Amino acid sequence: MRTIQGDMLGSGLRFAIIASRFNELITSKLIEGAKDALTRHGVSYQDIDLFWVPGAWEQPVAAKEIALLGKYDAIITLGAVIRGDTTHHEYVAGEAAKGLALVGLEYRLPVSFGILTCDNLEQALIRAGSKAGNKGTDAALAALETAKLMKEIRSMEGKKD
Ligand code: INI
């Protein structure tokens, strides 16, 4: 049996981070977590580009345009959708998740989902660098591992064993 997995060595890889301005109190902390995780795994600071979008709803269209550039090994999406008094947040979170999944599949590119979906601000703060860790860090590490896994898989193409 062989095991194929991505290592966590990020040297030479390029990442796009897409961050939402909506709930910037939270997203700024997710960005810090993501940048820290990448650079601690060998990614050069110059190989990380940060793109801002207004909110989670705009993440898929930005991700698609960025994927089209063909410049990045992975996209890390960071945002926070927090339940409001109406059902607006449900549409925003649902369409962001669906759209981002489609971009990843269409472009064969890891698109990690670092968009918090929370009932309140406290839940979001807990996941943005306090009690429950930092989901920006987790999203960055998932992007790195998947990018490296995809390189491994592609290196197998055409080889019989
Ligand atoms: N955008 C978010 O990123 N988080 C939210 O919690 C949110 N809520 O709840 O409304 C939100 N809405 C804005 C949305 O993403 C778009 O920017 C807006 O609808 C304009 O297209």
Side-chain angles (χ1 to χ4, degrees), residues 82-130:
I82 300 179
R83 184 183 294 279
D85 294 335
T86 68
T87 54
H88 183 78
H89 65 279
E90 287 174 16
Y91 294 95
V92 171
E95 293 307 311
K98 262 192 265 167
L100 291 170
L102 283 176
V103 172
L105 293 174
E106 187 177 346
Y107 290 89
R108 299 165 67 199
L109 187 70
V111 178
S112 70
F113 189 66
I115 299 179
L116 302 178
T117 53
C118 298
D119 287 333
N120 52 52
L121 184 61
E122 194 198 350
Q123 279 186 355
L125 281 167
I126 286 170
R127 289 159 180 78
S130 56

Side-chain angles (χ1 to χ4, degrees), residues 20-23 27 53-59 78-84 88-90 92-93 115-116:
S20 302
R21 288 192 198 285
F22 209 102
N23 292 320
T27 58
V53 291
W57 180 268
E58 283 76 24
Q59 292 255 3
L78 303 176
V81 178
I82 300 179
R83 184 183 294 279
H88 183 78
H89 65 279
E90 287 174 16
V92 171
I115 299 179
L116 302 178

Side-chain angles (χ1 to χ4, degrees), residues 14-16 47-49 51 66-67 69-75 109:
R14 302 201 60 184
F15 291 86
D47 288 336
I48 306 171
D49 289 336
F51 299 82
I66 292 165
L69 295 173
K71 281 174 58 162
Y72 299 98
D73 295 289
I75 297 176
L109 187 70

Side-chain angles (χ1 to χ4, degrees), residues 36-54:
D36 182 59
L38 293 178
T39 52
R40 279 193 292 113
H41 283 82
V43 179
S44 163
Y45 204 72
Q46 293 94 287
D47 288 336
I48 306 171
D49 289 336
L50 172 63
F51 299 82
W52 284 99
V53 291

